């Protein structure tokens, strides 16, 4: 039951992030994380993560924490309730909007 629930969350995060016009995400493999590319937002992963936390109340990890080649990415966990995941995606979808 738990494996099915995390599979559902993974699929949800993948689908929802790829519906946003400024983010893209490859299908997550293992663990409980997605790694969206935020470069089309005009922000680096670090700046995007800072805004997400400070202005939207969503904790993301900047991709640069995993190496210089990931500077345009952020890591988002889907080890949370579907309701919280949905709210987090809704909040981060407004980061690049004026």
């Amino acid at each position: 039951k738990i494996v099915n629930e995390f599979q559902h969350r993974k699929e949800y995060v993948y689908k929802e992030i790829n519906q946003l016009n400024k983010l893209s995400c490859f299908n997550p493999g293992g663990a409980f994380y997605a790694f969206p590319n935020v470069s089309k937002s005009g922000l680096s992963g670090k700046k995007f993560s800072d805004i997400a936390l400070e202005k939207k109340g969503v904790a993301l990890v900047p991709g640069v924490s995993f190496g210089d080649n990931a500077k345009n990415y952020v890591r988002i966990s889907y080890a949370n309730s579907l309701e919280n995941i949905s709210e987090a995606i809704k909040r981060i979808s407004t980061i690049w909007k004026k």
Side-chain angles (χ1 to χ4, degrees):
K1 185 176 177 179
I2 292 171
V3 171
N4 287 337
E5 179 59 30
F6 277 103
Q7 180 67 27
H8 176 68
R9 292 176 194 179
K10 178 181 96 160
E11 291 168 359
Y12 178 84
V13 167
Y14 173 70
K15 181 185 105 193
E16 292 299 314
I17 288 175
N18 281 306
Q19 287 182 1
L20 302 175
N21 67 359
K22 299 283 184 179
L23 303 183
S24 62
C25 187
F26 55 85
N27 197 1
F32 308 107
Y33 308 103
F35 211 53
N37 184 319
V38 299
S39 61
K40 289 183 182 176
S41 71
L43 303 168
S44 68
K46 171 78 169 98
K47 184 67 176 169
F48 193 95
S49 294
D50 289 346
I51 294 170
L53 182 59
E54 295 167 10
K55 299 195 184 220
K56 305 298 180 176
V58 177
L60 304 172
V61 178
V64 74
S65 298
F66 305 97
D68 290 338
N69 291 334
K71 67 181 178 182
N72 292 321
Y73 292 82
V74 297
R75 186 176 81 166
I76 184 170
S77 172
Y78 51 87
N80 207 314
S81 70
L82 202 52
E83 293 80 16
N84 286 344
I85 294 166
S86 177
E87 180 64 23
I89 292 172
K90 178 181 168 186
R91 291 181 186 187
I92 66 173
S93 75
T94 64
I95 287 176
W96 56 88
K97 296 178 182 174
K98 301 285 183 206

